Amino acid sequence: EPEVTQTPSHQVTQMGQEVILRCVPISNHLYFYWYRQILGQKVEFLVSFYNNEISEKSEIFDDQFSVERPDGSNFTLKIRSTKLEDSAMYFCASEPTSGTGYEQYFGPGTRLTVT
Amino acid sequence: AQTVTQSQPEMSVQEAETVTLSCTYDTSENNYYLFWYKQPPSRQMILVIRQEAYKQQNATENRFSVNFQKAAKSFSLKISDSQLGDTAMYFCAFIPQGGSEKLVFGKGMKLTVNP
């Protein structure tokens, strides 16, 4: 069965450095998402992406964050200058079609540790 | 505000028994979708069951069923005949139908099934 994959599984970076988290969504899916979960807290929505543009973003998704689908298969989340509070598990998800209420398929996550 | 509350952080159950996981939510929307996601240790989140708010009939998927009480804004998950493989984090989530695609999650609940 097709799965969403994410790399790396764990990323350690120093404060102020740029990081790129990578995701490969399921191939025929059209909607893409990033969520994050700070340890011990809720999974929070960051951004949704459709038709090569951001369709919705949360207040967390400020100018330090960007997303890209550079080659039609990868979906990346870039954090330009990481802060300690960016330490979290980052989940990518994809969805097959439009319409609210369809299943979002999640990747295994990337654990980002900012030191 | 649209929020999801899972008041029980952790539960355990004996194999073959039945367990109910509670979830309440808050929204001003009338139509929305509710979900239970399961995240086994070191694995990605997978959808367990989905309920459309305009449907009165409670959703069922094999050993998993929900008790959806719209007026009370309650959406509990019942797992019958618990199996060791049910050990996981369980997240309650919903999508309001107002054009948003983002999932709003609860904090999650750790379920352990003991042999």
Side-chain angles (χ1 to χ4, degrees), chain A residues 35 40 42 56 100-101 104, chain B residues 4 37 50 95 101 103 107:
Chain A
Y35 294 83
K42 297 183 180 186
E56 189 176 358
T100 306
Q104 294 181 21
Chain B
V4 176
Y37 275 87
R50 176 175 63 205
I95 294 180
E101 296 282 340
L103 280 162
K107 206 168 177 179

Side-chain angles (χ1 to χ4, degrees), chain A residues 4 33 35 37 40 42-43 45 56 91 95 99-104 106-108, chain B residues 4 33 35 37 39 44-45 47 50 91 95-97 100-103 105-107:
Chain A
V4 176
Y33 305 84
Y35 294 83
Q37 185 180 29
K42 297 183 180 186
V43 177
F45 168 80
E56 189 176 358
F91 296 102
E95 185 178 332
T100 306
Y102 282 90
E103 178 178 354
Q104 294 181 21
F106 283 81
Chain B
V4 176
Y33 294 81
F35 305 83
Y37 275 87
Q39 186 181 33
Q44 48 255 68
M45 273 191 283
L47 182 66
R50 176 175 63 205
F91 295 93
I95 294 180
Q97 202 183 13
S100 172
E101 296 282 340
K102 69 180 184 186
L103 280 162
F105 282 90
K107 206 168 177 179

Side-chain angles (χ1 to χ4, degrees), chain A residues 24-35:
Chain A
V24 179
I26 295 172
S27 63
N28 61 345
H29 285 192
L30 300 176
Y31 285 77
F32 312 107
Y33 305 84
W34 283 102
Y35 294 83

